Amino acid sequence: MDVPSWLEITVRSTILVLVLFLLTKFLGKKQLSHLSFFEYVAGITIGSIAAEISTGLESNFMNGIYSLLVWTAIPFIAGLIGMKSKKARNFIEGSSTVVIKDGKIQEDNLQKEQYSVDELMQLLRKKNAFQVADVEFAVLEANGDLSVLLKKEKQPITPSDIQLEVAPEKVPQTVILEGEIMDAALAASGLTRAWLELELAKLNVAIDNVYVGQVDSFGQLTVDIYDDKIQIPEPKPRQSLLSALKKCQADLESYSLQTDSDEAKQMYKKNAHKMEQIIKKTEHLLIKG
């Protein structure tokens, strides 16, 4: 009994999807994120072979499978050779090329890579570099991406540049998902259901109306609710704490001026100074709360 063409194509295509999935997993994630010229050619060929096997009913199915295995083995073996030899790796995957150095375009290297100035400027703009003179180094990677290092005076300022200590950031924990409390995430944040219920009460939000609730590294809860028409006041506990610290300092200074006791005056001044030091060290953490 002859098998209908549509059924044979369906069976072949299903098998090929599974085969291609396994072969891609075998080659690794690099196939998805970083294709060399060699891997690009192999990928196109493997796809073409799979398409021909799927619809070419007159062709031998197993011969097509063997061909797929061969074309999968080629880039895999080439990758192993590249891991053993840098020269082979440079030949197979290509090497990086410096196209800008000390704010000057390296014309010879640019021509060698067959890139025009317009193409280079387009890649620079994608890296938020709009002026060649601002670039210390620009390297064209083997996969065609451009890595850019701006000159020191053109780089965004960082806390380390001004010797500012910052608290380490932790991964936000999703503690509510589609109205359900995620106890594992809550425990990872060192919090309890009682705390969560109290925070929701402050926001005047029922847990059933919460689509996503997250806790940041400072232990602050933010929620996204189903009913977008409801406006939720943004909690600012850190700013409230900063205001309380500044009020405490001001009160201590005021007490030092009002008291007639020299001993109490010195005590208030000393504690006001300590409070000022605490505010200076923590203000950058609390000002955006």
Side-chain angles (χ1 to χ4, degrees), residues 97-112 115 120 132 136-138:
T97 304
V98 176
V99 291
I100 298 178
K101 184 178 180 181
D102 298 330
K104 297 181 180 180
I105 297 176
Q106 308 298 298
E107 292 86 357
D108 292 340
N109 290 346
L110 200 62
Q111 291 177 3
K112 177 184 174 183
Y115 269 73
L120 175 62
V132 176
E136 186 74 35
F137 284 104

Side-chain angles (χ1 to χ4, degrees), residues 170-175 182-196 215-220:
K170 297 180 181 178
V171 178
Q173 296 286 343
T174 301
V175 295
M182 303 289 104
D183 290 305
L186 201 59
S189 300
L191 303 170
T192 64
R193 284 197 171 211
W195 172 88
L196 183 60
V215 175
D216 62 16
S217 56
F218 294 96
Q220 181 173 310

Side-chain angles (χ1 to χ4, degrees), residues 227-240:
D227 191 350
D228 294 330
K229 294 180 180 179
I230 299 177
Q231 296 296 323
I232 299 177
E234 184 179 352
K236 296 185 177 181
R238 283 180 278 162
Q239 284 188 357
S240 300

Side-chain angles (χ1 to χ4, degrees), residues 197-215:
E197 291 170 359
L198 180 61
E199 292 300 309
L200 289 173
K202 290 179 182 178
L203 298 175
N204 196 25
V205 173
I207 190 170
D208 294 339
N209 196 24
V210 178
Y211 185 57
V212 175
Q214 291 184 306
V215 175

Side-chain angles (χ1 to χ4, degrees), residues 39-136:
E39 292 162 342
Y40 180 70
V41 172
I44 291 176
T45 306
I46 289 174
S48 300
I49 293 171
E52 173 60 28
I53 299 172
S54 178
T55 57
L57 301 183
E58 68 282 355
S59 61
N60 187 286
F61 184 76
M62 289 309 301
N63 286 345
I65 296 294
Y66 296 147
S67 180
L68 283 178
L69 293 175
V70 170
W71 275 97
T72 302
I74 290 173
F76 178 75
I77 295 171
L80 293 178
I81 295 173
M83 292 177 64
K84 300 292 184 180
S85 170
K86 188 177 187 305
K87 289 184 178 179
R89 183 166 63 250
N90 289 342
F91 177 76
I92 295 171
E93 299 184 359
S95 57
S96 58
T97 304
V98 176
V99 291
I100 298 178
K101 184 178 180 181
D102 298 330
K104 297 181 180 180
I105 297 176
Q106 308 298 298
E107 292 86 357
D108 292 340
N109 290 346
L110 200 62
Q111 291 177 3
K112 177 184 174 183
E113 297 296 336
Q114 298 182 2
Y115 269 73
S116 67
V117 176
D118 290 336
E119 290 172 324
L120 175 62
M121 296 303 296
Q122 181 181 4
L123 292 175
L124 284 172
R125 288 193 293 271
K126 289 182 178 180
K127 299 293 182 178
N128 292 325
F130 291 84
Q131 192 167 344
V132 176
D134 294 343
V135 179
E136 186 74 35

